[in-house]
Amino acid sequence: MKLKLPSWGLLVILLAAGVLIQLAIQLEVINAYWALVLTYMCIAVLSSLGLGIIYGFSGQFSLGHAAFMGLGAYTAALITRYAGVAPWSFAVALVGGMLLAGGVAWLVGLPILRLRSDYLGIATLGFGIIVRVLFENSDKLIPATAGARGMTGIEQPQFVFLWAFLLLLGAVLVARNLRFSSPGRALLSIREDETAANLMGIDVVRYKTIAFVLGCSFAGLAGGLYAHTFLFLHPSNFDFIKSFDPLLIVVLGGLGSITGTIVAGTAWVAVLEGLRLVLPSNILEWRYVIYPVLLIAMMLTRPQGLFGTSEAGVLVPKEETPPAPALETEVTADGAHP
Amino acid sequence: MPPSSLARLASEEESMTYYLQQLLNGIQLGFVYALIALGYTMVYGIVRLINFAHGDVFMVGAFIGYFTLRALSGVTLAANPWLNGVLLSLIAILAAMIVCTALNVTIERIAYKPLRNAPRIAALITAIGVSLFLEYFTSLKFVFGPDYITFPSPLPSQTWQVAGLRFSGVQVLIAVVATVLLLALNYVVRYTKIGKAMRATAFDRDTARLMGINVDLTISFTFGLGAALAGAGGVLYVSAYPRVHTFMGIIPGLKAFTAAVMGGIGSLPGAFVGALIMGLAEVAAKSLYSTMADGVAFLILILVLLIKPSGIFGRAEVEKV
Amino acid sequence: MAPILEIVRLSKHFGGLKAVSDFDLTLNEGDLQGLIGPNGAGKTTVFNLVTGVYPVTAGDILFEGHSICGQEPWMINQRGIARTFQNIRLFPNLSVLDNVRVACHAHGGYSTLEAIARLGRFRSHEQAITERARSLLAVFNLLGRQNEIAKNLPYGEQRRVEIARALAANPKVLLLDEPAAGMNPSEVGSLMELIHFIRDRFKLTILLIEHQMRVVMGICEQITVMDFGQVIARGKPEEIQNNPKVIEAYLGRGVSYRTAQ
């Protein structure tokens, strides 16, 4: 898929679109329900981009992503509880959530990231469950979180959709800049062949950590937005099962493809919500029967995902694929010429 | 099994009995987890797939057991209530084993076999899809329904006291059936031709094929065998914890899987030992900090992985460079 | 002049298996040496020990006078030892250009922050890396393939990409593991020229493992012969060719006896 628009032009168009949508929400041209859905699309894609960096770029199989979202969510919610939801305090809350998620990721990564892929998945799964158990008992330490009863009383900041949209754009930019850079290639090489990467001078542990911390920070940011969109937090929102959602999105879109994650994430929310509309209310439960069937069908027909490893042209910097030389100056059947 | 309160410990003798009782409970739970864990470990060993749907096969087993008993309600097979109860239970277990085997073999053929040469994550995602499908499809009204059902164990509810320890019929049933099944599995894997084929295929699939082993059949057999154990485990589990519902397989499945990893994924004795540890840890944790019980088991897992990444019985694979 | 790489009484045991025993070898700057021996002799294990893949059981490895035992592979690479592999280990889904650019990262890269913000050293270093990688590919006549996905390349080209990638790390010592494997005679001839060329052009010290005797005898100045994890002979090509122990190791006892008659 080659979409050759000048990048800056596209950025301006997207910004305008975001503002327009927010305006439509303010004027209630888009009703509250759809505002929620659109905001959730941004949140889901943002979180999935984080997993895309961890798993898509550096090949680390993490099944604890929802836990980091939860850490960001509760942190941000607690901060706005005391500081309010004015733009500056909301920003502080979101950053706080990101920092906590990233910090915990760093700590957890110290012992865990040296495990082999499948084992890393299991360890992160276990970590996710431990975090959920901690959330359920969190009211013993911080009563405001209300533990297993669920945290309420979260205020919604103004223009929360626009916040989510703009932060998503920022995240896409970060992921894209990382992908097409030397540290980004270091991450990819770890995914491709960790031992060979190590032997080519890549400090594997360091880069795995960078990817993990960055990816989990995205999850923390998404969590903070989630808290202030849905205004209610329950430990079960961040259970290990919820870690499958970003995983599905990343694989369906194509592991390592930012475009794929964006498209798949948007489609995933759209399909789930769309099914809610399309199905008559008496068979609404069929939503969760159809969804896994679609999933299985997708894997059986196109296991590499929608986009495989490719990106939309608009995301790829022009220096990325240098043109092959027009003239083969060293044309011989074999070997090199000094 | 209600979480016991520490306040009940009146004397040293009583506390000794209490701990022994908990030990037995833990071992019993461990045996049930072992029945599930073995399925995970065998499938992983042979096709390197974490079969997320395995816990749901366990759930199906529980339901089949329930429906079997419902169909047989009112049927008396023996005059002695104990014998009657045991026979009915065994029929329920057998029915569960048969259905679960057929189910798992079908799933393998339709969903996993086509992906054998695809990237591993594709099979994993498919397994997640199968798991979700089993959970939600069976919760539809015309299948198993979304409600919680109480499992009607046909065994008389009386208990015996031996040396201060209390035994119920269900506990004895679990212990005996689980032991028989585990011994049978051990026999199959170590002394039969198909067992040898399983081990060979797990070790090196291509070479096994070249040696004339029917790899497809062996893999199907492995899936079926694991499912049979899980199905039996399902019936045994709900005999002791009688709440049956379509999402009941998630947490026990996860715990069993964790147990398999702790023991060294791919290793059968490892799965068994891991499951025992899991059962004991869970019972111990429940009696001390009942709200954190789930977390303790996974904490142990992480500790094991950090000390010995390949698990207790796992072989550290030396990479060929 | 101190040797650039000194391997002293190196041993590696895998449980009961003695893969390498008391192995020693000295490389002086600019050398082009060969390491040969029957399959399973332990040659690649020596490479793996030198590059830090396996921990050493006993002995020492000195690079430029300093011990590198126990160091991480990436540290050893950054110090100046690069290698290729017996079974090609390119990054299969990355382009040829990216494969080589990865190895440029350690010496010419920039930080993640600079990458994300597109600030600081990003522009200049990224350009430098790309130019360096492309010029290396040009040396190997692979510039036309730079955008191809590595796993799609024919075997011989993949081997050349691997060498180009190893050179991208700016090494002082290059370890080549069976670079001629799978090549036809004319390709082998070009490879021999290539190895001489890169040794001179990039001021390298080269140690190569090879089974094709034409390569070994043709370009190596000194050859070490291994069998069962130990050194059984060392010397110039002519000396090795007629060494009965070497012949015996490759062809079995009876042959060398008959040759001696």
Side-chain angles (χ1 to χ4, degrees):
Chain A
M1 185 178 134
K2 287 256 169 211
L3 197 67
K4 278 292 184 200
L5 282 180
S7 301
W8 287 111
L10 186 64
L11 199 62
V12 169
I13 292 174
L14 286 171
L15 285 172
V19 171
L20 278 173
I21 294 175
Q22 183 63 67
L23 200 61
I25 293 172
Q26 298 303 112
L27 299 174
E28 290 179 17
V29 170
I30 296 177
N31 67 30
Y33 170 73
W34 284 107
L36 215 63
V37 172
L38 288 171
T39 313
Y40 186 53
M41 275 181 184
C42 298
I43 294 172
V45 175
L46 178 58
S47 175
S48 303
L49 277 174
L51 189 62
I53 293 174
I54 298 171
Y55 188 37
F57 289 4
S58 67
Q60 303 182 86
F61 188 49
S62 167
L63 285 175
H65 212 58
F68 291 98
M69 200 165 159
L71 286 171
Y74 276 104
T75 305
L78 285 170
I79 293 177
T80 57
R81 177 177 281 259
Y82 296 109
V85 286
W88 69 269
S89 56
F90 185 48
V92 168
L94 291 177
V95 169
M98 265 185 79
L99 288 177
L100 185 80
V104 172
W106 182 77
L107 276 172
V108 166
L110 285 173
I112 273 184
L113 290 178
R114 55 188 171 91
L115 293 172
R116 236 181 55 214
S117 197
D118 279 356
Y119 288 106
L120 177 65
I122 293 146
T124 47
L125 189 68
F127 172 73
I129 297 195
I130 292 172
V131 168
R132 197 250 305 154
V133 169
L134 288 175
F135 284 160
E136 280 168 357
N137 292 282
S138 58
D139 50 345
K140 300 196 178 80
L141 207 63
I142 306 173
T145 59
R149 285 166 286 133
M151 182 171 178
T152 54
I154 307 173
E155 266 186 79
Q156 188 168 84
Q158 279 227 308
F159 313 133
V160 76
F161 165 78
L162 196 58
W163 278 95
F165 186 74
L166 291 176
L167 287 168
L168 174 64
L169 284 184
V172 170
L173 200 62
V174 168
R176 178 261 197 190
N177 283 352
L178 180 62
R179 166 73 176 78
F180 297 107
S181 72
S182 200
R185 288 188 291 266
L187 293 181
L188 296 177
S189 72
I190 293 173
R191 176 192 75 197
E192 294 291 300
D193 188 333
E194 187 177 324
T195 305
N198 203 338
L199 286 160
M200 294 299 130
I202 306 291
D203 181 350
V204 168
V205 171
R206 184 188 138 117
Y207 279 95
K208 280 177 157 184
T209 308
I210 290 176
F212 193 62
V213 170
L214 190 60
C216 291
S217 305
F218 277 29
L221 182 61
L225 288 165
Y226 178 92
H228 293 86
T229 305
F230 293 94
L231 312 181
F232 173 69
L233 295 177
H234 191 268
S236 66
N237 295 142
F238 309 108
D239 198 9
F240 78 97
I241 295 245
K242 289 294 195 289
S243 288
F244 289 152
D245 296 344
L247 181 68
L248 260 41
I249 290 171
V250 165
V251 176
L252 283 176
L255 264 184
S257 167
I258 298 168
T259 316
T261 304
I262 298 172
V263 171
T266 312
W268 180 76
V269 176
V271 166
L272 277 177
E273 290 310 307
L275 283 175
R276 191 206 294 269
L277 291 179
V278 159
L279 293 173
S281 56
N282 58 336
I283 54 165
L284 205 57
E285 321 86 70
W286 280 84
R287 245 193 342 155
Y288 288 101
V289 177
I290 295 175
Y291 156 52
V293 170
L294 288 175
L295 195 65
I296 296 172
M298 183 72 198
M299 283 295 110
L300 288 175
T301 51
R302 205 180 155 81
Q304 72 272 37
L306 289 167
F307 283 80
T309 51
S310 55
E311 296 288 351
V314 65
L315 284 176
V316 180
K318 55 180 183 324
E319 312 84 52
E320 187 54 20
T321 42
L327 215 59
E328 286 278 324
T329 51
E330 296 122 316
V331 177
T332 48
D334 45 75
H337 282 251
Chain B
M1 228 155 289
S4 314
S5 126
L6 294 171
R8 281 209 294 129
L9 304 172
S11 72
E12 217 180 88
E13 267 178 13
E14 241 186 59
S15 74
M16 181 60 162
T17 315
Y18 170 75
Y19 286 125
L20 276 176
Q21 186 78 59
Q22 296 298 73
L23 189 73
L24 282 173
N25 293 343
I27 293 178
Q28 170 191 299
L29 188 59
F31 267 66
V32 175
Y33 283 155
L35 290 172
I36 312 171
L38 284 161
Y40 274 114
T41 222
M42 287 194 291
V43 164
Y44 185 88
I46 207 168
V47 284
R48 298 285 182 274
L49 171 72
I50 302 175
N51 186 6
F52 281 115
H54 195 60
D56 302 295
V57 172
F58 160 86
M59 172 270 293
V60 169
F63 269 99
I64 298 299
Y66 164 73
F67 285 122
T68 310
L69 289 176
R70 224 177 66 174
L72 293 173
S73 69
V75 170
T76 314
L77 294 171
N80 180 327
W82 281 103
L83 188 60
N84 186 47
V86 167
L87 286 174
L88 286 171
S89 299
L90 289 178
I91 294 176
I93 292 173
L94 198 64
M97 286 172 76
I98 293 171
V99 172
C100 288
T101 303
L103 176 68
N104 219 21
V105 170
T106 310
I107 293 173
E108 194 270 325
R109 286 281 149 146
I110 297 177
Y112 303 144
K113 179 156 181 267
L115 293 172
R116 243 181 247 160
N117 294 318
R120 283 209 302 143
I121 184 65
L124 209 74
I125 301 285
T126 306
I128 294 174
V130 171
S131 171
L132 291 170
F133 176 76
L134 286 175
E135 287 159 14
Y136 284 98
F137 183 71
T138 55
S139 73
L140 294 175
K141 280 188 221 76
F142 68 92
V143 192
F144 296 164
D147 303 315
Y148 283 56
I149 299 172
T150 308
F151 186 79
S153 176
L155 293 171
S157 55
Q158 73 180 98
T159 59
W160 310 289
Q161 287 255 8
V162 176
L165 297 168
R166 196 168 316 170
F167 291 95
S168 70
V170 168
Q171 286 176 310
V172 175
L173 181 74
I174 292 177
V176 172
V177 172
T179 307
V180 168
L181 287 174
L182 292 171
L183 288 173
L185 176 74
N186 186 50
Y187 178 79
V188 166
V189 170
R190 286 171 66 174
Y191 300 111
T192 64
K193 202 158 147 219
I194 186 85
K196 206 173 290 183
M198 279 168 67
R199 282 179 286 139
T201 312
F203 196 76
D204 186 336
R205 194 189 307 169
D206 292 324
T207 307
R209 188 177 279 130
L210 291 170
M211 292 290 126
I213 291 176
N214 184 338
V215 162
D216 286 346
L217 189 70
T218 308
I219 292 177
S220 291
F221 182 81
T222 307
F223 271 84
L225 195 58
L229 292 174
V235 177
L236 292 176
Y237 186 85
V238 293
S239 302
Y241 308 95
R243 282 203 330 171
V244 188
H245 64 106
T246 64
F247 294 90
M248 63 174 280
I250 299 177
I251 295 288
L254 190 62
K255 289 182 182 155
F257 174 57
T258 307
V261 173
M262 239 198 297
I265 192 111
S267 155
L268 267 57
F272 180 66
V273 169
L276 281 181
I277 296 177
M278 201 52 138
L280 288 167
E282 186 177 326
V283 165
K286 270 230 173 62
S287 68
L288 293 171
Y289 301 108
S290 66
T291 51
M292 306 267 233
D294 279 351
V296 169
F298 296 104
L299 206 57
I300 297 180
L301 166 77
I302 292 183
L303 284 170
V304 169
L305 285 182
L306 292 180
I307 300 170
K308 190 166 190 283
S310 47
I312 300 173
F313 284 83
R315 260 171 289 117
E317 286 175 24
V318 180
E319 190 190 354
K320 182 153 199 323
V321 178
Chain C
M1 182 72 165
I4 193 168
L5 184 68
E6 236 187 304
I7 305 174
V8 181
R9 306 200 55 182
L10 189 66
S11 294
K12 176 64 186 172
H13 299 173
F14 289 106
L17 174 69
K18 294 203 176 102
V20 175
S21 292
D22 262 350
F23 179 86
D24 63 339
L25 189 144
T26 303
L27 284 176
N28 290 307
E29 225 180 300
D31 277 1
L32 212 182
Q33 293 196 22
L35 180 61
I36 67 173
N39 277 320
K43 311 184 293 293
T44 301
T45 309
V46 169
F47 272 24
N48 287 338
L49 290 165
V50 170
T51 53
V53 175
Y54 299 150
V56 164
T57 306
D60 205 1
I61 305 166
L62 296 156
F63 178 67
E64 294 184 322
H66 302 285
S67 171
I68 55 173
C69 273
Q71 292 205 347
E72 288 289 320
W74 61 269
M75 289 190 236
I76 296 175
N77 175 283
Q78 288 190 19
R79 276 174 175 269
I81 302 179
R83 70 174 289 180
T84 63
F85 302 90
Q86 190 175 14
N87 301 309
I88 296 179
R89 287 181 84 132
L90 289 176
F91 303 121
N93 297 299
L94 302 186
S95 68
V96 166
L97 183 65
D98 279 346
N99 263 274
V100 178
R101 289 201 285 187
V102 168
C104 294
H105 179 69
H107 288 288
Y110 40 89
S111 71
T112 309
L113 201 57
E114 286 167 316
I116 290 175
R118 292 296 204 238
L119 293 173
R121 300 176 293 170
F122 167 71
R123 186 121 286 151
S124 57
H125 282 227
E126 180 72 3
Q127 210 170 346
I129 289 174
T130 305
E131 272 167 25
R132 179 131 189 282
R134 298 185 74 205
S135 70
L136 270 174
L137 286 175
V139 166
F140 289 80
N141 200 28
L142 288 165
L143 199 55
R145 309 293 254 159
Q146 64 180 322
N147 296 326
E148 298 277 341
I149 301 300
K151 68 183 175 190
N152 294 333
L153 254 56
Y155 183 80
E157 287 183 7
Q158 287 192 25
R159 281 221 166 267
R160 292 196 337 251
V161 174
E162 248 204 1
I163 304 177
R165 181 180 67 172
L167 287 178
N170 230 343
K172 299 185 180 118
V173 170
L174 182 62
L175 306 174
L176 296 172
D177 200 340
E178 299 193 33
M183 287 190 179
N184 66 45
S186 92
E187 287 172 325
V188 171
S190 306
L191 178 74
M192 289 165 66
E193 269 181 44
L194 184 72
I195 293 177
H196 266 133
F197 169 67
I198 62 176
R199 190 262 297 257
D200 298 332
R201 164 85 119 80
F202 297 102
K203 307 221 182 346
L204 297 171
T205 307
I206 299 180
L207 177 64
L208 64 96
I209 294 175
E210 217 1 284
H211 279 294
Q212 298 213 30
M213 286 303 133
R214 180 180 154 209
V215 177
V216 179
M217 300 301 167
I219 62 175
C220 294
E221 292 148 2
Q222 179 171 276
I223 301 170
T224 302
V225 188
M226 269 181 96
D227 197 12
F228 294 115
Q230 296 179 299
V231 175
I232 61 170
R234 177 170 290 145
K236 296 215 203 10
E238 317 80 69
E239 299 163 9
I240 295 299
Q241 266 171 341
N242 298 312
N243 185 317
K245 274 206 234 134
V246 174
I247 297 171
E248 184 182 313
Y250 272 101
L251 299 174
R253 193 150 268 155
V255 179
S256 69
Y257 178 72
R258 269 182 266 119
T259 314
Q261 295 292 324

